[in-house]
Amino acid sequence: MKLTSLYTIASLALAYSSTLVFAGRPQSYKLNPDPEGQYPRLGACPDEHSCVFPPDLSQFIPGSYFDLRVELHAYDTSFTNKTVEPYENFKTTVRRNNGPWVDVDQFFNFEETPALENWDFEWANTIESVVSDDVAPVPVAVTSRIWRKLKFDKPGTYDVSVQYGPKEGYTVRYTVIEPKKPKKKAKNAILFIADGCNIGMITAARALARKHTSGKYHDLLSFEHFDNLGHVLTNSVDGLVTDSANSASAYATGHKGSVSALGVYADSSKDPFDDPKVELITELIRRRQPGKAVGVVTTAAGQDATPAAFYTHTRERGESAHIVDQLVHGVPDWVDAVVPDVWLAGGAEYFKGEEALNQTNYYDLLEKEFGYQIVLNKKDLNNYHDNDKLLGAFRTGNLDVWMERNIFNNNTVGNGAAPDLSGNDALGIDQPGLEDMTIKALEVLKKRGGKDGFFLMSEAASVDKKLHPLDFNRAWADLIEMDVTIQKTVDWLKKNDEFEDTLIIFTADHSHAFDVFGSVDQKYMAEHDSNKDMRNSIGLYAASGWPGYFDNDNDGFPDNWNPKITLAAGTNNYPDHYEAFALSSTGPREPSVSDGHNGYIANKKDQAGKYGKGLHYNGNLPIGNDQGVHSMADVFIYSNGPGSDNFKKTIENWNVFYGLTEALDLQRPSKHEK
């Protein structure tokens, strides 16, 4: 848009902020495509001055709760006006199925109109304002209202319109679906998430973990035997590439979000807890099927983005202390807290001591006031056989990856990560793996859910966490751990007569740009230092051959992790680093290090890069990135059991929520509804 046009709009905004006259009908609905640009004023706000959250095209289940926030933004991109006055008021109206417009307070039976709120923020509207100190961001004055805990009870099309001038306004359109009754109700649902995984990773895991003859695999990975396979679009509400917070939230809520946002639409305020919320599938379970048990399992810290998406509402995924508190206390002006029946993860530092909210001892609180049994190591987890709610926190931070727990246990000596915060070590051998936690969760959930069943989210978090630093061997191992866990889960379900009644889903929340392009003779590369010789150690096409991994004990994992021939693999984005395709046995990989000037250079102490003598890769990311990033590629979704037909085609990430709620018969009100 031309500068003169921007100035005109800004001038109008200033004029209408002092004297607001509502004239005529609300603005008719118009579908506006997302605009070009890297630096929007606020995500999902195509109007020049107003924002409505939930945004245009949002979809709801009848009776599901949400908050409605309207913001008006006054600003002057020409900087002609040194002070920008906020709008003084606006009018919000709602209608259903093109019927008469009704004031929002009347439509939702509010006795009092929520108070106006005002705040300011700075809009970095150009790349120059982001990278240069010489170009100032645009000051924005905000006027807002929020209506808490609303719901649409009837299916239909709903328009929400905000008027902020005689002819200025903006209208969004929502769809409230007709509830679908499942052909066969799933008593249970298990959502397996391999964070950051893509098809290339699955192909690599198969090549490592399955035997083959004449190029034909003796067997596929466990989930490749599922009934259905589809694709999931992963982009966020305001950008091509997502993070784990808003992608997992899309699965948990049926709404796309913004980076770092959990169970909310991101508004422009600084408060990370005032953003408009949308209801989680776990909250819906608690209201409509209160007898159903709920479990959360992850190899990350339990406050990390993916697990937290199933019990948390906050704009900032890093609010770990508050996230722990929300486990059992929830948030104000909302439905009851999820209070999961099972929670198994890392992140012990937020349950007591200095990092805990108000230094609360949540171990004591959860045990005494909420009836949890607390376990802090693998032995105690395996020995637990009671019916109480179960919380396991097995170390501070993320759990150690499969390799450190099973092969390189000495790398965990000296970590000082004991979950009791004693400063002692949490050795890898004492930490449970994904299989241990998932099977124990199933045992407890079956007891607690009984005839009402259960919902479990189980995450292999470090597939993503090791793809970021290009630590491919560790990422492969954690994905193979997921494969083994899924097979053990299927076996457990069959043994306990639950298989036919259980929907099983395996997917990723987002992708990395990983792939295999050949094989590597590691021995030859290790013995030669010239660029030519190292590059010639890579076998392509007919010379790609087969890697030297084998699984003679048939436990699902390779017995040898350092064969002569391994996979030539990589991603399409990376920092400066050296690459020799080697296994880092001394600890997780660190491909780049700080240059002391806000940038990163290749790490000459990186074992996987042959200590600075491997192939040198010039980075293709912004200089402040020390590791690889996510990609926008669609991810797979494998599904099996009742309701799995909902996932056998290409869907958007928010549709996973609708497939789950249909299968579990959560879309219709129940006689138990709270």
Side-chain angles (χ1 to χ4, degrees), residues 39 257-258 339:
Y39 305 105
S258 298
V339 192

Side-chain angles (χ1 to χ4, degrees), residues 381-401:
L381 175 70
N382 290 336
N383 288 337
Y384 180 78
H385 301 291
D386 294 334
N387 300 332
D388 296 328
K389 293 192 289 289
L390 177 65
L391 184 135
F394 303 109
R395 63 156 289 167
T396 59
N398 303 315
L399 299 189
D400 284 292
V401 297

Side-chain angles (χ1 to χ4, degrees), residues 338-603:
V338 173
V339 192
D341 297 84
V342 178
W343 189 97
L344 304 174
E349 65 269 36
Y350 298 104
F351 283 91
K352 62 182 292 188
E354 294 182 359
E355 298 293 328
L357 187 65
N358 301 321
Q359 298 188 19
T360 301
N361 188 326
Y362 283 93
Y363 289 149
D364 288 348
L365 177 74
L366 294 170
E367 189 173 23
K368 295 175 182 178
E369 296 188 21
F370 292 92
Y372 279 91
Q373 291 295 313
I374 310 297
V375 292
L376 302 180
N377 56 58
K378 180 178 179 178
K379 179 181 179 180
D380 289 346
L381 175 70
N382 290 336
N383 288 337
Y384 180 78
H385 301 291
D386 294 334
N387 300 332
D388 296 328
K389 293 192 289 289
L390 177 65
L391 184 135
F394 303 109
R395 63 156 289 167
T396 59
N398 303 315
L399 299 189
D400 284 292
V401 297
W402 184 89
M403 281 197 170
E404 266 56 43
R405 286 184 275 111
N406 292 274
I407 299 178
F408 303 125
N409 190 59
N410 284 343
N411 291 340
T412 65
V413 174
N415 63 17
D420 60 1
L421 305 191
S422 63
N424 294 328
D425 294 342
L427 296 177
I429 198 171
D430 293 328
Q431 299 171 41
L434 188 65
E435 176 192 336
D436 302 308
M437 294 187 291
T438 299
I439 298 303
K440 182 58 64 177
L442 291 172
E443 293 174 3
V444 176
L445 294 173
K446 179 175 172 60
K447 292 177 184 178
R448 293 187 59 80
K451 62 181 177 58
D452 294 307
F454 57 80
F455 171 82
L456 171 64
M457 192 288 299
S458 178
E459 182 202 21
S462 288
V463 177
D464 171 78
K465 296 185 186 303
K466 295 307 162 188
L467 281 172
H468 276 296
L470 316 179
D471 198 343
F472 302 131
N473 285 277
R474 284 176 171 77
W476 297 335
D478 274 48
L479 179 55
I480 293 171
E481 183 179 36
M482 171 62 87
D483 168 55
V484 171
T485 298
I486 291 175
Q487 184 58 60
K488 296 292 186 181
T489 296
V490 169
D491 294 343
W492 185 93
L493 291 170
K494 290 179 177 178
K495 180 180 178 181
N496 288 273
D497 297 322
E498 296 286 356
F499 182 71
E500 297 299 329
D501 294 320
T502 302
L503 168 63
I504 310 174
I505 295 172
F506 172 53
T507 187
D509 50 349
H510 59 78
S511 182
H512 277 264
F514 169 89
D515 213 341
V516 176
F517 56 90
S519 63
V520 181
D521 187 325
Q522 289 194 92
K523 185 174 184 295
Y524 188 89
M525 177 171 276
E527 294 173 349
H528 295 78
D529 291 335
S530 75
N531 182 271
K532 175 183 176 181
D533 286 337
M534 288 191 291
R535 290 172 66 172
N536 283 338
S537 71
I538 299 172
L540 305 175
Y541 298 112
S544 61
W546 298 100
Y549 299 92
F550 56 85
D551 177 22
N552 290 336
D553 61 6
N554 295 313
D555 66 350
F557 295 90
D559 300 337
N560 60 320
W561 281 94
N562 200 21
K564 180 176 183 289
I565 306 299
T566 187
L567 304 180
T571 68
N572 67 7
N573 65 85
Y574 39 79
D576 288 10
H577 68 284
Y578 296 99
E579 187 59 77
F581 308 98
L583 170 64
S584 178
S585 61
T586 57
R589 187 178 191 185
E590 187 178 4
S592 63
V593 293
S594 173
D595 65 0
H597 303 284
N598 300 318
Y600 288 86
I601 58 175
N603 182 10

